[in-house]
Amino acid sequence: MKDIIEKIKELKKTLGDSVVIPAHHYQKIEIVRLSDFVGDSYKLAVDCSNTESEFIVFCGVRFMAEGAQLLAKKYQKIIMPDLDAGCPLADMIDSQIAEKLYRKISKSCKREIIPIVYINSYSNMKSFCGQKDGSVCTSSNAGKIIEYYLSQDKAVFFSPDYNLGINTARQLKIPSDKIVKIENDLTIEPGKDLKDIRLFIWDGFCYVHKVFTTDDISKLRERYPGINIIVHPECDEEVVNSSDISGSTQKIYQTIKDSPQGSIWGVGTELNFVSRIAEDFKDKKIIPLRNSPCKDMEKINLTNLVQSLSSILDYKTGKGKLKFEVKVHEDFQLPARKALKKMIEISKG
Ligand code: 13P
Ligand code: SF4
């Protein structure tokens, strides 16, 4: 491991400013330590778009790298150490299903429906969203984005993560009779009048976050009186309600960082991240609600990172072809970029 880390550092030095390595918070600790910056999905999208390097070696999953490509400058290339690092949540809807559903609910709802797609989705969905004047959102800005459209008296079709949708709806105090769940066979709660619905939510989920239970929280509260519970909003509604705080990975990291020495935290999110928080803040006690790793995030490792950097060097010196490049299909580029930029505009506004 020491040798490969040295090799990566050496390659980074040789490649200099032409390469930047962003890492998502869920990346393994050794990858985060070698990265140039780390963040949640929103922070990474914005920080990547502010870089000048010719090559962005994105350590995260595919939808994040696609987002970086959509926001990149023309001369920049996005490299992903393992192009198969996907996201089962993002696979739960595509633009064909979304179009069909959009037509169906538009017929029954009296308001104009705007699609909001969680960044954990592929570019065909972001493109669908941009075509309909909608926006992408992340776990750090879902409330602001949904509110933006509701305040214009529009209805929202939110996908693919049901939990982020419903947890955000509760924060915004949207009445339950104005919300419907859409099952993935396209059925909508039978008997419900859709005319006055404000929020249609697709029934997707993240398996990593679905495993946490209120029982996990009760056990920790019993064992460690005074413990603080912080969870990601992809967790089930009752888990979020039983926690003290919920938020994006960046919020989780920052909240624990800012907490007093000696504080105890039960954390409901991805395991590699929770382990790194424990490593970074040894003056605090950090306990995962349950051991739940993201198998796709774990596909990025030192071996494929070194291969990516070597391929860039070969390409630059004319010795070989560039490998592991992420390119969003031409047809999706413009509308998907529009939906991503809309998110940044609303978030900053
Ligand atoms: P964040 O945007 O909070 O980092 O979440 C990304 C993710 O994939 C959570 O499962
Ligand atoms: Fe997708 Fe869940 Fe992994 Fe996040 S943790 S990348 S939502 S599978």
Side-chain angles (χ1 to χ4, degrees):
M1 178 139 144
K2 230 170 123 203
D3 286 355
I4 195 161
I5 288 174
E6 281 317 309
K7 176 82 185 146
I8 290 170
K9 285 184 178 164
E10 205 179 288
L11 278 164
K12 272 187 83 179
K13 209 165 153 194
T14 310
L15 292 163
D17 289 345
S18 67
V19 165
V20 68
I21 306 182
H24 184 263
H25 276 302
Y26 291 166
Q27 288 293 293
K28 292 176 185 161
I29 190 162
E30 60 272 22
I31 301 289
V32 172
R33 297 292 188 245
L34 287 163
S35 70
D36 294 302
F37 54 90
V38 62
D40 63 10
S41 312
Y42 182 72
K43 184 174 180 301
L44 288 177
V46 174
D47 287 356
C48 284
S49 72
N50 289 330
T51 61
E52 310 291 335
S53 303
E54 189 184 350
F55 302 94
I56 299 177
V57 181
F58 202 104
C59 296
V61 291
R62 181 141 190 141
F63 72 80
M64 297 176 177
E66 285 191 2
Q69 201 265 294
L70 288 165
L71 295 172
K73 294 158 191 87
K74 278 217 157 59
Y75 65 86
Q76 291 182 306
K77 295 187 191 311
I78 315 301
I79 306 298
M80 230 185 113
D82 185 337
L83 291 167
D84 283 337
C87 167
L89 168 61
D91 287 329
M92 287 181 186
I93 194 165
D94 64 32
S95 55
Q96 273 186 336
I97 301 172
E99 277 285 358
K100 203 165 158 189
L101 194 64
Y102 182 83
R103 279 197 296 274
K104 180 173 169 173
I105 56 181
S106 291
K107 277 187 205 144
S108 323
C109 183
K110 69 177 186 194
R111 291 182 176 83
E112 183 190 353
I113 300 173
I114 301 291
I116 298 180
V117 68
Y118 189 26
I119 198 162
N120 297 39
S121 59
Y122 292 110
S123 298
N124 62 79
M125 276 304 289
K126 294 187 176 86
S127 166
F128 156 78
C129 203
Q131 281 165 18
K132 306 260 184 298
D133 291 328
S135 172
V136 172
C137 79
T138 72
S139 60
S140 68
N141 56 30
K144 206 165 176 183
I145 309 280
I146 293 177
E147 183 61 17
Y148 174 85
Y149 292 107
L150 293 185
S151 68
Q152 297 171 18
D153 202 33
K154 310 253 167 75
V156 165
F157 164 33
F158 187 93
S159 68
D161 190 45
Y162 179 77
N163 282 347
L164 180 63
I166 196 69
N167 288 320
T168 310
R170 301 299 184 220
Q171 268 174 15
L172 295 174
K173 307 216 177 321
I174 303 172
S176 291
D177 64 348
K178 300 278 184 279
I179 305 169
V180 280
K181 184 196 253 189
I182 307 168
E183 304 293 337
N184 44 27
D185 61 359
L186 302 201
T187 53
I188 304 177
E189 288 175 42
K192 198 135 178 176
D193 182 6
L194 303 184
K195 206 164 63 244
D196 214 17
I197 291 298
R198 304 303 305 276
L199 186 59
F200 295 84
I201 318 178
W202 182 251
D203 191 20
F205 66 91
C206 163
Y207 75 95
V208 176
H209 290 89
K210 201 76 190 151
V211 297
F212 303 118
T213 64
T214 52
D215 215 38
D216 298 337
I217 297 181
S218 311
K219 282 188 185 136
L220 281 183
R221 288 205 195 276
E222 235 166 72
R223 178 137 188 232
Y224 303 97
I227 192 170
N228 307 284
I229 304 291
I230 189 162
V231 302
H232 195 276
E234 286 175 14
C235 292
D236 283 347
E237 187 184 355
E238 55 274 21
V239 171
V240 171
N241 290 344
S242 307
S243 71
D244 300 301
I245 310 174
S246 72
S248 77
T249 54
Q250 189 64 30
K251 180 169 171 184
I252 293 173
Y253 190 85
Q254 199 59 44
T255 306
I256 297 178
K257 184 177 182 201
D258 294 343
S259 68
Q261 257 191 7
S263 46
I264 310 174
W265 289 91
V267 190
T269 191
E270 202 274 339
L271 182 64
N272 289 288
F273 178 40
V274 184
S275 307
R276 178 167 55 88
I277 300 176
E279 196 63 34
D280 284 357
F281 308 116
K282 290 216 168 79
D283 59 331
K284 295 157 200 177
K285 190 166 183 62
I286 314 295
I287 310 154
L289 287 194
R290 216 175 248 259
N291 292 349
S292 188
C294 173
K295 299 281 173 222
D296 282 274
M297 287 282 181
E298 286 185 336
K299 287 180 181 167
I300 310 297
N301 55 39
L302 293 172
T303 307
N304 49 38
L305 179 56
V306 86
Q307 285 166 353
S308 305
L309 295 171
S310 302
S311 151
I312 294 173
L313 187 60
D314 287 350
Y315 173 75
K316 274 172 77 76
T317 52
K319 285 194 197 132
K321 281 213 301 204
L322 187 65
K323 294 182 197 148
F324 315 109
E325 190 179 357
V326 175
K327 268 192 201 157
V328 171
H329 194 287
E330 198 50 46
D331 294 353
F332 302 138
Q333 289 273 349
L334 273 178
R337 185 175 303 123
K338 181 178 159 204
L340 265 170
K341 287 196 163 168
K342 187 73 189 170
M343 167 183 76
I344 297 173
E345 178 201 314
I346 302 170
S347 296
K348 288 188 173 163

